[in-house]
Amino acid sequence: MKVTIDDLWLKNDDDGNPPSRAAKRSLANSRDPMKANVPEKWRKSRYGVGMRWRCHWTIVKDGRRVQRVKQFARLAEAQEYAAAMEDDIRRGRYRDPRQELRVLDDVAGEWLASKVDLKPGTAGRYARELRLYILPKWGGMTLRELRPDMLQEWVGQLMDGGYPAALPDGRDSKPLSARSIRNIMKVVLKGIFDYAVSNGWIGENPVDRVTVPKIVSDDDMVFLSVREVELLADEAERIGKPVDGLLVRWQAYTGCRIGESLALKVGDVDADKRRARIGRTWTDDGHGGSMLGTPKNGKARNIAIPRFLMPQIKAQMDGMGDDDWLFRATRGGNVWTNTWRTRIWNKAVKAAGMEDAGVTIHSLRHTYASFAIAQGADVKTLQMQLGHSSPSITLNTYTALWPERLDDVADAIGALRERELV
């Protein structure tokens, strides 16, 4: 397949003679083509109007031959494009240039509709990030227009605040965390452009060349002492009921996520073996509500329960059926995470004097990890208890908590040598 370059301004005269070198030179040197010394016999009807050079080629689409064109102001640009296009055609990398004119809003909708394997909560989060942040800024632009430098500048705006956004109640945009920026840019927007690349609409993903702020885990995590955990549990029990204090201790001493804890039923607990099966969690239903789903990594797991918690756990189970909630409301129904956070947790944190310490419910899970590592837990054991999908996630999250034991290893090797030689 060959790409042909046409001159849209000049033609041969009626006798078939091409424009003279003098006429071409005069046109090339004139800023205003209408003032160039080009006789009328060599001028086409559209002489001096629009771009002068046109590339055209033919493709087969849906069994039909379809012509494609692209215009250029300079011959060198047209020749460069034609050479690149012919190379792409030979190598099977051809893309229809008109597909680059797809609007991001439309492409984003198609991409989201294609993600049929997402959990409702994940799909809802993607949709919100599109609606609140991405589309207000880029929705009306074409794939061709979005460049890495523009996206990089936007990252700075997300870090500083003041960016265009469709926030509820007309709220002003504020600086976003590194984790939020990474999700918006490297998960959602990158996913949209990867979808466009896979469909052959564009050649490369501009997000791949954008740098986002690094997530520093230590900045996001708060580790409590045993005394602080007990203080929070006591305050939660004072503000609410004994079950509220138990829920605080359960998360700090087992490492369960709050959604997993509140989804536990009596039948999930084996009191004799001190084990609990984590097979479900409360998750976002994608519409602002909650629904039961699988744990975060999609797999059930069994966790160990410290012995000192068992008397209270057994009291919670006493007289209940297997299908009753373990941590239940007064009338026996389930406890909603947001309700418990507002009614119990936030008040307990304030009563304990920790409101300015960055303590969140998730801090209880981090606290468990710190306790376990301090007591000698290895990466694999901690991964199984926390429900991470791989040991590398556990190690990357809590690597700073493992003690440096180079001297211990060196001494152990020395002791091994002495034993063997004796």
Side-chain angles (χ1 to χ4, degrees):
M1 187 180 302
K2 184 174 179 59
V3 180
T4 303
I5 301 176
D6 297 327
D7 187 338
L8 299 178
W9 288 3
L10 299 183
K11 64 178 182 177
N12 295 343
D13 62 19
D14 292 341
D15 296 327
N17 299 313
S20 65
R21 290 184 179 180
K24 291 181 178 180
R25 188 164 51 250
S26 176
L27 178 57
N29 294 333
S30 178
R31 292 187 176 183
D32 184 355
M34 306 310 294
K35 295 181 179 179
N37 187 19
V38 178
E40 192 67 32
K41 63 180 181 178
W42 285 318
R43 297 188 181 191
K44 288 185 176 179
S45 60
R46 58 173 296 175
Y47 174 84
V49 178
M51 296 186 182
R52 179 178 174 183
W53 303 99
R54 179 181 66 190
C55 292
H56 69 87
W57 64 99
T58 302
I59 64 170
V60 177
K61 183 176 181 181
D62 299 329
R64 298 182 296 109
R65 296 175 64 83
V66 181
Q67 184 167 316
R68 294 285 185 256
V69 299
K70 187 174 178 64
Q71 297 183 10
F72 300 89
R74 299 173 59 243
L75 176 60
E77 294 174 345
Q79 291 172 331
E80 180 180 356
Y81 183 84
M85 181 65 67
E86 290 180 352
D87 185 60
D88 285 344
I89 292 172
R90 283 195 301 272
R91 295 173 181 268
R93 298 184 313 218
Y94 170 76
R95 298 185 308 277
D96 185 346
R98 295 193 302 181
Q99 299 295 347
E100 295 179 346
L101 300 179
R102 285 175 174 263
V103 178
L104 186 72
D105 195 349
D106 296 335
V107 178
E110 291 184 33
W111 168 76
L112 193 59
S114 73
K115 309 299 286 184
V116 295
D117 57 338
L118 293 180
K119 291 183 178 181
T122 304
R125 187 175 73 250
Y126 289 177
R128 284 195 297 274
E129 289 175 347
L130 277 170
R131 184 179 70 253
L132 298 181
Y133 303 108
I134 296 175
L135 297 184
K137 177 70 174 180
W138 308 113
M141 298 187 70
T142 65
L143 297 176
R144 179 191 297 174
E145 292 175 298
L146 283 161
R147 304 188 311 271
D149 61 315
M150 299 164 64
L151 298 175
Q152 190 66 63
E153 182 180 358
W154 185 48
V155 169
Q157 294 172 0
L158 295 176
M159 295 173 64
D160 297 336
Y163 47 85
L167 300 176
D169 302 323
R171 296 200 304 263
D172 294 332
S173 56
K174 296 181 179 180
L176 298 180
S177 68
R179 192 178 303 277
S180 294
I181 294 173
R182 180 172 291 272
N183 287 337
I184 292 168
M185 181 64 69
K186 291 297 188 177
V187 177
V188 180
L189 193 57
K190 174 177 167 55
I192 295 169
F193 278 105
D194 280 344
Y195 178 77
V197 171
S198 68
N199 280 286
W201 300 337
I202 54 176
E204 62 178 3
N205 190 329
V207 180
D208 289 339
R209 294 162 57 189
V210 174
T211 302
V212 296
K214 184 178 180 180
I215 299 174
V216 182
S217 297
D218 289 349
D219 290 347
D220 298 332
M221 291 190 283
V222 173
F223 304 104
L224 304 173
S225 67
V226 170
R227 291 186 180 276
E228 288 171 329
V229 170
E230 292 300 321
L231 175 59
L232 282 170
D234 289 343
E235 292 295 346
E237 182 172 340
R238 182 183 62 81
I239 293 166
K241 293 181 173 58
V243 67
D244 297 305
L246 175 59
L247 183 54
V248 171
R249 292 187 177 94
W250 172 269
Q251 293 173 88
Y253 299 128
T254 68
C256 272
R257 302 175 178 93
I258 181 63
E260 296 172 341
S261 300
L262 295 179
L264 278 170
K265 293 190 174 182
V266 170
D268 296 322
V269 178
D270 186 332
D272 295 331
K273 295 182 178 180
R274 292 191 291 114
R275 292 289 188 271
R277 179 173 175 79
I278 308 298
R280 70 185 75 82
T281 186
W282 287 107
T283 185
D284 189 340
D285 66 359
H287 303 287
S290 296
M291 61 178 287
L292 286 173
T294 57
K296 190 171 183 179
N297 70 350
K299 298 178 181 179
R301 70 185 189 279
N302 291 312
I303 64 167
I305 307 171
R307 195 179 304 276
F308 71 88
L309 283 179
M310 289 312 303
Q312 282 185 281
I313 294 297
K314 288 180 178 179
Q316 278 293 110
M317 299 169 62
D318 187 36
M320 296 291 112
D322 286 350
D323 204 41
D324 289 321
W325 302 105
L326 180 63
F327 300 101
R328 54 190 175 274
T330 303
R331 297 184 179 180
N334 68 286
V335 177
W336 299 108
T337 301
N338 290 337
T339 302
W340 189 78
R341 179 186 290 110
T342 302
R343 187 174 60 85
I344 303 295
W345 174 257
N346 291 343
K347 293 178 181 179
V349 170
K350 185 175 182 179
M354 301 181 190
E355 66 267 33
D356 296 325
V359 179
T360 67
I361 296 177
H362 206 66
S363 299
L364 299 174
R365 179 171 162 85
H366 295 321
T367 295
Y368 168 82
S370 71
F371 290 163
I373 292 170
Q375 298 308 308
D378 59 80
V379 174
K380 186 64 178 178
T381 300
L382 188 58
Q383 175 219 342
M384 293 172 62
Q385 182 81 6
L386 294 177
H388 287 154
S389 58
S390 69
S392 63
I393 293 177
T394 309
L395 186 60
N396 290 339
T397 304
Y398 299 113
T399 185
L401 298 181
W402 265 280
E404 190 262 283
R405 302 181 61 191
L406 292 177
D407 291 338
D408 294 344
V409 173
D411 292 342
I413 291 176
L416 171 66
R417 176 179 177 275
E418 291 180 11
R419 289 196 303 271
E420 293 293 331
L421 290 178
V422 170

